[in-house]
Amino acid sequence: MRLTWHTARLELAEPLRISRSVMAGRDAVWVALEHGGTSGWGEAVSSRYLGLPTERILRRLNALRPAVERLPDPETAWHELAPEGPLGADLPAGVLAAVEAAVLDLICKRAGLPAHAFLGSPMPPSAPTARTIGIVAPVTAAAQAARFAAAGFGVLKIKAGSPDPGEDLARVHAVREEAPAAQLLLDPNGAWTEDQAHALLPRFAALGVTAVEQPVAAGRPDTLARVAARSPIPVIADEDAVSHEDAVALAGRVHGVNVKLAKCGGVRAALRIRAALDGSGTDLMLGCLTASSLGIAPAVHLVDRARWVDLDGHLLLAEDPWTGIGGTDGTVRAAPRDGLGVRPRAAIPAGAAP
């Protein structure tokens, strides 16, 4: 087998402002695993918040390459790169998710199977996805909401956490006016104190918000659980739910856990978290980082397992270099093709293999 990679820049159509930062673009590393003339692909994206700069991604791939290339076939790599496996256990979650995706894509192409079938879902999954509206002026949010609703989006996620909570309330009100039929999710990215959360959530509920992600700062899961116990709408852990252990600790104490493959380590780690949540009263949300269709695709093959789906990272890009998961009409769907079902829009330059 041969493991290579290629680095590309993903630029957003417009900068996305959230409570802790503004992002205009990020690097993507496209990982390719080739065996017998067939290649499987995965994507890792740089993330300052997750402690995964591009240089670290490349360094870990370079260190991993000899061990992977010594393996006889991708089926063996699938076992070796399990989250608790000999090669997977020490990898950063984002790197593991990308390499696992490439292995999954390759195995399924060799077997003539779409990834969802390999993962246990016989029919191609599809689901409405949320469409994100950043921290912008209410008039801008209203225009975006009207455009997204007209395109078919029935779920809108509104970023919150402005220094003045009144600005967030005005933004949500403006979105509700322009998209009265849409389900509204709210995401302060941990910007509020516990007292603010208790005071503000009833006001947002009155505006039609149906769930909130991580209203208080991460690192104090007991605080998040107290907010969830008093909240009039479901509270979903995000920054407080990185690992399987985090999810287990929060099961039954919050209404949802936002699982991002780059955060937990790939599709098998996500499925393990879902199994841990079963019967606890805590539901699964599938989220993502801003990424191309290649990076989002593995999660799309799991959408039939989730209550909430927020897989619009590829829709935020000025240009998506990959295609195959839809989403522009408000629904993401697994393509009826072998593997992950995505394809590059243009030829990819020869990858690096130091």
Side-chain angles (χ1 to χ4, degrees):
M1 292 196 299
R2 179 171 167 81
L3 181 69
T4 60
W5 50 89
H6 172 75
T7 303
R9 183 68 179 171
L10 303 177
E11 300 290 349
L12 275 66
E14 55 188 62
L16 176 66
R17 180 181 295 276
I18 65 175
S19 61
R20 62 172 179 258
S21 64
V22 180
M23 184 180 64
R26 64 178 2 137
D27 289 340
V29 180
W30 298 332
V31 178
L33 184 65
E34 187 272 333
H35 181 68
T38 303
S39 294
W41 293 89
E43 178 180 86
V45 293
S46 60
S47 170
R48 181 183 305 173
Y49 184 77
L50 293 179
L52 199 61
T54 308
E55 295 75 16
R56 187 180 181 212
I57 297 172
L58 298 177
R59 188 166 60 248
R60 296 308 298 264
L61 288 172
N62 191 43
L64 178 67
R65 177 177 166 258
V68 169
E69 293 192 344
R70 282 196 294 267
L71 301 176
D73 50 52
E75 291 76 16
T76 303
W78 180 253
H79 294 288
E80 296 287 308
L81 286 159
E84 304 299 325
L87 297 182
D90 294 329
L91 286 177
V95 176
L96 175 57
V99 178
E100 182 199 62
V103 176
L104 174 64
D105 192 34
L106 180 54
I107 287 174
C108 291
K109 285 175 177 174
R110 280 162 51 89
L113 286 173
H116 60 81
F118 182 82
L119 296 171
S121 294
M123 300 301 294
S126 66
T129 181
R131 187 67 161 88
T132 302
I133 295 174
I135 295 179
V136 295
V139 64
T140 303
Q144 291 179 355
R147 187 170 74 251
F148 296 153
F153 288 90
V155 185
L156 301 176
K157 184 167 87 167
I158 308 163
K159 292 292 187 177
S162 302
D164 178 5
E167 295 179 10
D168 295 333
L169 289 161
R171 184 179 313 108
V172 172
H173 177 75
V175 169
R176 171 52 72 214
E177 288 291 302
E178 291 298 326
Q183 177 185 349
L184 303 185
L185 308 178
L186 190 71
D187 187 6
N189 288 107
W192 297 340
T193 66
E194 181 177 358
D195 288 343
Q196 284 179 311
H198 289 315
L200 290 170
L201 286 176
R203 299 180 68 184
F204 283 106
L207 290 173
V209 171
T210 59
V212 60
E213 287 183 60
Q214 197 69 41
V216 295
R220 297 188 294 274
D222 289 345
T223 301
L224 185 66
R226 286 196 300 270
V227 170
R230 289 179 51 183
S231 175
I233 57 176
V235 171
I236 303 165
D238 183 358
E239 288 87 347
D240 261 327
V242 175
S243 66
H244 175 266
E245 291 74 21
D246 294 336
V248 169
L250 287 166
R253 306 179 70 203
V254 296
H255 304 93
V257 166
N258 186 347
V259 171
K260 299 174 182 175
L261 303 192
K263 187 172 66 171
C264 71
V267 293
R268 285 176 289 183
L271 291 172
R272 185 179 177 218
I273 289 173
R274 181 183 181 272
L277 298 179
D278 278 351
S280 70
T282 299
D283 292 314
L284 181 70
M285 179 178 194
L286 278 173
C288 64
L289 303 182
T290 303
S292 77
S293 287
L294 172 61
I296 308 295
V300 173
H301 287 270
L302 303 179
V303 294
D304 53 343
R305 275 94 159 179
R307 175 178 174 183
W308 299 279
V309 173
D310 179 23
L311 298 177
D312 70 336
H314 61 306
L315 302 177
L316 305 180
L317 301 179
E319 183 177 355
D320 184 356
W322 293 75
T323 184
I325 59 173
T328 56
D329 61 352
T331 297
V332 289
R333 49 183 67 83
R337 291 195 290 268
D338 297 344
L340 294 176
V342 293
R343 296 172 176 169
R345 295 183 187 274
I348 299 173

